[in-house]
């Protein structure tokens, strides 16, 4: 399978690789700036062949980034990516084959694996939620509950798992929550302030049915129905009557997502997709090349 350049809007891959290596190699620290183990144990001209594989069933994300880590240390390394991003594979599947300088492989190994394990863990959990939701009329969303510095990558992994992204940050939509309402005085006033400031997308969180009409009257463009049980969600959807999209949030897990998605909401958002996804079990085994 041919490899393609990896790019995400707002994400600097070269900077990410540089900073990750600098952290692992101890750039700028006394005695740092090198892989002391590989330099002392592995001959400079030694060569390895390697296979990255899945130990569990996973949905794959991050292989092009892993490739970039290896190529940063040996641009001519032979690398073959064997599966597509977003592809679900069974345990024991080979994901990548590579061969080249042994020191370069060993130095890049942990950074590459950490990234693929983390992103594939997110994509795998997302795919499980999408499958459990089993509702083509409802879209699964992530949240801003991401590890600082990794938001673009984690939200990319969410897309590879089959869900969509909520806001990318604080800049691209207003999200009016209880603390904003507390200062403004009520839901309607909070929404009006955002509308009067010229904000086009205004998502308003409501946790009671009597907040729906004031939010809509003031100009909310989407309602986030927070911590509502399925019967209440159905009532809320009926009140909104298609005037704006609706989103269910809070108390959503693998056991509850199907029932909440079936209430007629347009979206379901789950913070743990990025906040709590376990790393995928992915290994990388090397063989010396004579």
């Amino acid at each position: 399978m041919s490899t393609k350049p990896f790019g995400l809007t707002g994400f600097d891959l070269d900077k990410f690789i540089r900073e990750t290596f600098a952290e692992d190699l101890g750039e700028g620290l006394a005695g740092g700036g090198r892989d002391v183990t590989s330099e002392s144990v592995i001959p400079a001209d030694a060569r390895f062949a390697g296979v990255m594989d899945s130990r569990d069933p996973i949905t794959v994300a991050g292989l092009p980034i892993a490739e970039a880590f290896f190529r940063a240390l040996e641009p001519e390394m032979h690398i073959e990516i064997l599966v597509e991003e977003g592809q679900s594979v069974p345990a024991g599947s080979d994901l990548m084959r590579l061969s080249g300088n042994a020191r370069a492989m060993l130095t890049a190994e942990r950074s590459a694996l950490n990234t693929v394990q983390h992103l594939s863990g997110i994509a795998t959990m997302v795919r499980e939620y999408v499958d459990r939701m089993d509702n083509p009329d409802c879209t699964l969303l992530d949240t801003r509950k991401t590890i600082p510095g990794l938001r673009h990558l984690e939200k990319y992994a969410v897309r590879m798992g089959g869900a969509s992204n909520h806001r990318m940050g604080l800049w691209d939509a207003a999200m009016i929550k209880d603390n904003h309402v507390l200062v403004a005085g009520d839901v309607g006033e909070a929404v009006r302030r955002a509308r009067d400031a010229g904000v086009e997308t205004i998502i308003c969180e409501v946790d009671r049915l009597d907040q729906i009409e004031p939010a809509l009257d003031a100009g909310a463009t989407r309602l986030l129905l927070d911590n509502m049980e399925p019967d209440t969600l159905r009532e809320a959807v009926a009140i909104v009557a298609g005037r704006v999209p609706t989103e269910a949030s809070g108390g959503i897990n693998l056991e509850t997502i199907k029932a909440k998605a079936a209430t007629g909401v347009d979206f379901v958002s789950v913070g743990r997709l990025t906040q709590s996804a376990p790393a995928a079990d992915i290994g990388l085994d090397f063989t010396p090349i004579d």
Side-chain angles (χ1 to χ4, degrees):
M1 181 180 300
S2 61
T3 57
K4 303 174 184 177
F6 181 84
L8 295 175
T9 301
F11 175 70
D12 188 331
L13 177 60
D14 291 337
K15 179 182 178 182
F16 175 69
I17 291 171
R18 286 195 308 270
E19 292 181 348
T20 302
F21 277 146
E23 178 182 62
D24 208 19
L25 295 171
E27 296 286 352
L29 302 177
R34 64 194 183 112
D35 176 357
V36 63
T37 312
S38 294
E39 287 184 9
S40 61
V41 175
I42 306 297
D45 60 353
R47 292 177 58 79
F48 274 172
V51 177
M52 184 184 295
D53 67 335
S54 63
R55 309 293 167 82
D56 290 326
I58 64 168
T59 298
V60 177
L63 292 178
I65 307 169
E67 177 183 5
F69 274 113
F70 290 113
R71 291 204 185 282
L73 299 185
E74 187 188 346
E76 300 306 316
M77 186 177 293
H78 176 75
I79 299 175
E80 184 181 8
I81 293 178
L82 305 173
V83 299
E84 296 282 354
E85 292 285 282
Q87 182 177 343
S88 293
V89 300
S93 297
D94 291 347
L95 309 178
M96 175 188 290
R97 295 193 191 100
L98 57 165
S99 61
N101 182 267
R103 285 186 181 180
M105 285 190 183
L106 290 170
T107 299
E109 174 189 14
R110 181 43 52 195
S111 296
L113 274 178
N114 283 350
T115 303
V116 177
Q117 288 171 333
H118 180 53
L119 298 188
S120 295
I122 291 172
T124 300
M125 176 179 280
V126 169
R127 185 63 54 84
E128 186 175 9
Y129 268 80
V130 170
D131 291 344
R132 190 72 65 91
M133 186 170 70
D134 190 26
N135 190 332
D137 297 322
C138 186
T139 300
L140 178 63
L141 300 175
D142 55 19
T143 70
R144 286 173 46 243
K145 295 178 180 178
T146 55
I147 295 175
L150 295 183
R151 177 165 299 168
H152 288 283
L153 289 182
E154 292 179 340
K155 284 181 172 281
Y156 163 78
V158 166
R159 298 194 298 274
M160 293 303 98
S164 297
N165 299 141
H166 210 291
R167 295 187 300 166
M168 289 302 294
L170 294 170
W171 55 272
D172 55 350
M175 171 78 86
I176 294 172
K177 304 187 68 128
D178 52 359
N179 287 326
H180 304 103
V181 173
L182 182 65
V183 173
D186 60 59
V187 165
E189 177 60 21
V191 173
R192 276 190 291 274
R193 291 183 185 183
R195 181 197 63 197
D196 292 346
V199 179
E200 294 183 4
T201 302
I202 305 174
I203 305 167
C204 183
E205 176 185 277
V206 299
D207 53 21
R208 303 194 317 269
L209 296 178
D210 63 355
Q211 294 174 316
I212 292 176
E213 289 297 350
L216 293 177
D217 290 343
T221 61
R222 184 153 123 199
L223 293 185
L224 191 157
L225 309 172
D226 189 45
N227 281 303
M228 294 184 181
E229 294 302 317
D231 288 346
T232 307
L233 284 171
R234 288 190 189 89
E235 288 187 63
V237 169
I239 293 170
V240 174
R243 286 176 283 176
V244 298
T246 54
E247 172 188 339
S249 180
I252 297 171
N253 53 44
L254 287 171
E255 286 66 48
T256 62
I257 189 168
K258 186 176 180 69
K260 293 201 174 189
T263 60
V265 294
D266 300 288
F267 303 100
V268 171
S269 57
V270 180
R272 73 184 307 260
L273 299 178
T274 49
Q275 187 182 52
S276 305
D281 190 358
I282 296 171
L284 178 53
D285 296 316
F286 295 120
T287 304
I289 301 175
D290 294 333

